[in-house]
């Protein structure tokens, strides 16, 4: 019997926005994932110096963003884990806790290109399938160039389809083209600081929650950046 494949969409979600949700939907549909779980990072290791909203608020915003979306949920596993939220540890923990499921880690093209800087980033394919969606104008050509240069480190082998590479243990790394939405969390934060509207960039429930806690949000996104 084929084991279900669960999409894991990790990130800081500072804040979660419509681009996150849309990308997750398109990857889930393209790869026939059984479900998708957003996993907000409690202590994102790559965001040192960047003002980040408190974890409970980011968690609540993710729940609001996915409310009513069948098959999508928020996984709170990072809440009580000590130390930085390394993807390697997250995927390993999921594999141990849920041996009857397979997992597919969803990441943007920018994340793929930065994997060499992640903790054991080039070995994530030993723990889960990987699905890469286009971001910031980076597409299949960049995907192919990166994999060609890093194939040995990732133990990846090309297939007849340039969008699919084989990984250890029968897993796959797949490029998934998605509709481009020029939305970013950094732009939303900049607009918020300037008093500009963020309508249409985040879901209405997310926007309402941000505005309900406007003072805390403004304080969170205005913390001094350490030198």
């Amino acid at each position: 019997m084929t084991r279900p494949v669960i999409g894991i969409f990790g990130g800081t979600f500072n804040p979660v926005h419509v681009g996150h949700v849309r990308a997750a939907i398109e990857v889930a549909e393209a790869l026939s994932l059984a479900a998708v779980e957003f996993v907000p990072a409690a202590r994102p290791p790559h965001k040192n110096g960047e003002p980040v909203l408190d974890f409970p608020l980011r968690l609540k915003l993710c729940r609001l963003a996915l409310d009513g979306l069948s098959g999508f949920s928020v996984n709170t596993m990072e809440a009580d884990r000590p130390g930085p939220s390394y993807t390697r540890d997250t995927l390993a923990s999921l594999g141990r806790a849920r041996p009857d499921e397979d997992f597919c880690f969803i990441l943007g093209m920018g994340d793929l290109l930065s994997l060499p800087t992640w903790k054991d980033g080039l070995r994530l394919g030993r723990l889960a399938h990987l699905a890469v969606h286009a971001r910031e104008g980076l597409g299949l050509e960049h995907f192919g160039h990166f994999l060609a240069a890093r194939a040995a480190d990732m133990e990846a082998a090309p297939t007849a389809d340039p969008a699919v590479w084989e990984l250890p243990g029968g897993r796959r790394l797949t490029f998934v083209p998605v509709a481009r939405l020029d939305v970013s969390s950094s732009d939303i934060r900049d607009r918020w600081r300037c008093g500009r509207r963020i309508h249409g960039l985040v879901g209405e429930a997310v926007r309402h929650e941000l505005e309900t806690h406007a003072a805390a949000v403004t304080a969170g996104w205005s913390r001094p950046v350490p030198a």
Side-chain angles (χ1 to χ4, degrees), residues 21-175:
V21 178
R22 190 63 236 172
I25 290 172
E26 295 202 29
V27 170
E29 291 180 343
L31 301 184
S32 300
L33 300 179
V36 173
E37 299 175 10
F38 277 45
V39 185
R43 288 161 291 278
H46 295 286
K47 300 298 182 179
N48 291 336
E50 178 181 301
V52 177
L53 295 179
D54 291 338
F55 179 73
L57 179 54
R58 289 186 286 117
L59 193 67
K60 184 172 184 179
L61 295 176
C62 284
R63 285 178 170 143
L64 291 171
L66 301 179
D67 185 42
L69 187 55
S70 178
F72 286 68
S73 62
V74 179
N75 185 316
T76 65
M77 64 183 294
E78 296 289 344
D80 300 317
R81 291 176 57 193
S85 303
Y86 292 118
T87 299
R88 180 203 66 174
D89 297 339
T90 298
L91 295 177
S93 179
L94 284 167
R96 290 192 298 268
R98 296 155 64 178
D100 295 331
E101 297 172 316
D102 287 328
F103 298 95
C104 177
F105 183 64
I106 302 169
L107 63 162
M109 181 61 70
D111 294 323
L112 176 71
L113 299 181
S114 70
L115 279 185
T117 70
W118 293 24
K119 188 172 185 178
D120 290 338
L122 295 175
R123 297 173 67 84
L124 294 183
R126 285 180 163 271
L127 300 171
H129 299 281
L130 303 177
V132 179
H133 60 88
R135 273 299 297 274
E136 299 147 352
L138 304 175
L140 184 58
E141 181 180 0
H142 299 85
F143 176 85
H145 285 324
F146 178 85
L147 267 296
R150 296 289 184 173
D153 295 328
M154 298 186 71
E155 302 177 74
T159 69
D161 183 348
V164 179
W165 286 62
E166 295 179 350
L167 294 171
R171 299 182 180 88
R172 288 189 165 194
L173 191 164
T174 307
F175 173 81

